């Protein structure tokens, strides 16, 4: 197995379970290495919706593509990143392609034009992942607040809350999309393969059950495009 891959264990929690998870995070001495921030992910899929189908089928090796940026509005001069998220069972890693334009420049453009701009840029890149060679269209925008924690061994924990899903309309701009709120909390633990036993020992007192979870599929399900439990 490629050592670039890391384990990613997720928990989907209600408010009571989330309080339990926070107590556990404090008990293991995890600290905040970064400030909280707003994460935005615009997910893409091909015309056959292969990312949806491979995930629903439980296929171990799969990938999905998203444009990611940070901040609560479109006034940031930060440049977004196109990411290909690769999965092999519970292991995952990301390939990142940094875009040369800012989010501000995309605010008034239609999703269709944004897609063309991104993939025209990607077509000039050498050694791109084969998943980016398909014709991809925006499928879903997801926005949430993320908290970061890390313990002394480098085990990373993220908490995603205030999650919102936005239905994409190809003729509309990013800023005109309307949100649908999602009340659950997503806690994810990320760690290299050599720390698997350490994490198993850490998780034992938590007494919560990990669950397969995809924000992409959850959002599409809530908006009525697919069925996902």
């Amino acid at each position: 197995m490629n050592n670039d891959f890391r384990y990613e264990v997720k928990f989907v929690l209600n408010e009571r379970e989330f309080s339990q998870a926070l107590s556990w995070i404090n008990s293991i001495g995890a600290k905040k290495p970064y400030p909280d921030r707003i994460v935005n992910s615009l997910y893409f899929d091909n015309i056959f919706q292969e990312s949806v189908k491979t995930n629903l089928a439980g296929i171990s090796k799969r990938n999905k593509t998203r444009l990611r940026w940070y901040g609560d509005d479109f006034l940031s001069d930060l440049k977004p990143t196109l990411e290909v998220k690769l999965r092999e069972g519970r292991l995952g890693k990301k390939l990142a392609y940094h875009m040369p334009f800012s989010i501000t420049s995309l605010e008034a453009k239609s999703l269709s034009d944004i897609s063309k701009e991104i993939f025209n840029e990607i077509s000039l890149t050498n050694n791109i992942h084969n998943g980016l060679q398909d014709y991809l269209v925006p499928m879903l925008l997801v926005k949430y607040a993320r908290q970061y924690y890390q313990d002394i061994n480098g085990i990373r924990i993220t908490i995603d809350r205030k999650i919102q899903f936005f239905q994409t309309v190809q003729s509309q701009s990013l800023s005109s999309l309307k949100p649908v709120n999602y009340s659950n909390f997503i806690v994810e633990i990320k760690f290299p393969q050599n720390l698997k036993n350490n994490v198993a020992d850490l998780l034992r007192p938590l007494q919560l059950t990990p669950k397969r979870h995809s924000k992409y599929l959850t959002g599409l399900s809530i908006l009525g495009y697919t069925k996902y439990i």
Side-chain angles (χ1 to χ4, degrees), residues 90-91 106 126 171 183-184:
R90 283 193 170 181
L91 294 166
L106 301 182
N126 294 323
S171 60
S183 61
N184 285 335

Side-chain angles (χ1 to χ4, degrees), residues 131-164:
L132 296 177
Q133 295 171 3
D134 291 334
Y135 178 72
L136 301 177
V137 296
M139 295 287 294
L140 180 76
L141 174 63
V142 185
K143 178 179 179 179
Y144 50 90
R146 170 164 282 186
Q147 296 174 302
Y148 301 83
Y149 293 88
Q150 186 169 305
D151 82 342
I152 58 173
N153 295 312
I155 296 167
R156 295 178 54 202
I157 303 166
T158 57
I159 297 173
D160 296 339
R161 56 191 182 85
K162 298 182 179 179
I163 300 170
Q164 295 180 309

Side-chain angles (χ1 to χ4, degrees), residues 12 21 26 57 85 88 118 144 165 170 172 217:
V12 183
N26 290 328
K85 185 71 179 290
E88 293 190 12
I118 291 168
Y144 50 90
F165 300 114
Q170 303 306 308
Q172 291 186 0
L217 290 191

Side-chain angles (χ1 to χ4, degrees), residues 35-124:
D36 301 351
R37 57 183 176 177
I38 301 296
V39 181
N40 305 271
S41 295
L42 180 63
Y43 287 90
F44 294 82
D45 212 336
N46 63 19
I47 57 175
F48 304 107
Q49 296 189 5
E50 284 189 50
S51 290
V52 172
K53 291 176 181 176
T54 54
N55 197 316
L56 288 174
I59 294 174
S60 175
K61 296 184 69 171
R62 59 187 187 272
N63 65 77
K64 58 188 173 188
T65 302
R66 65 196 179 200
L67 185 73
R68 173 161 286 188
W69 69 96
Y70 301 95
D72 200 22
D73 53 37
F74 297 97
L75 302 179
S76 171
D77 288 329
L78 294 177
K79 294 176 172 59
T81 302
L82 190 71
E83 298 178 346
V84 181
K85 185 71 179 290
L86 307 177
R87 297 286 300 186
E88 293 190 12
R90 283 193 170 181
L91 294 166
K93 73 173 183 178
K94 292 186 293 190
L95 304 177
Y97 301 87
H98 301 286
M99 298 290 100
F101 44 78
S102 68
I103 282 298
T104 302
S105 69
L106 301 182
E107 179 183 6
K109 294 182 179 180
S110 70
L111 288 172
S112 177
D113 287 342
I114 290 172
S115 184
K116 290 176 184 176
E117 186 165 348
I118 291 168
F119 292 104
N120 283 341
E121 183 65 35
I122 284 294
S123 69
L124 303 175

Side-chain angles (χ1 to χ4, degrees), residues 169-186:
V169 179
Q170 303 306 308
S171 60
Q172 291 186 0
S173 65
L174 281 171
S175 57
S176 67
L177 303 179
K178 304 301 181 185
V180 174
N181 295 326
Y182 179 67
S183 61
N184 285 335
F185 301 83
I186 309 300

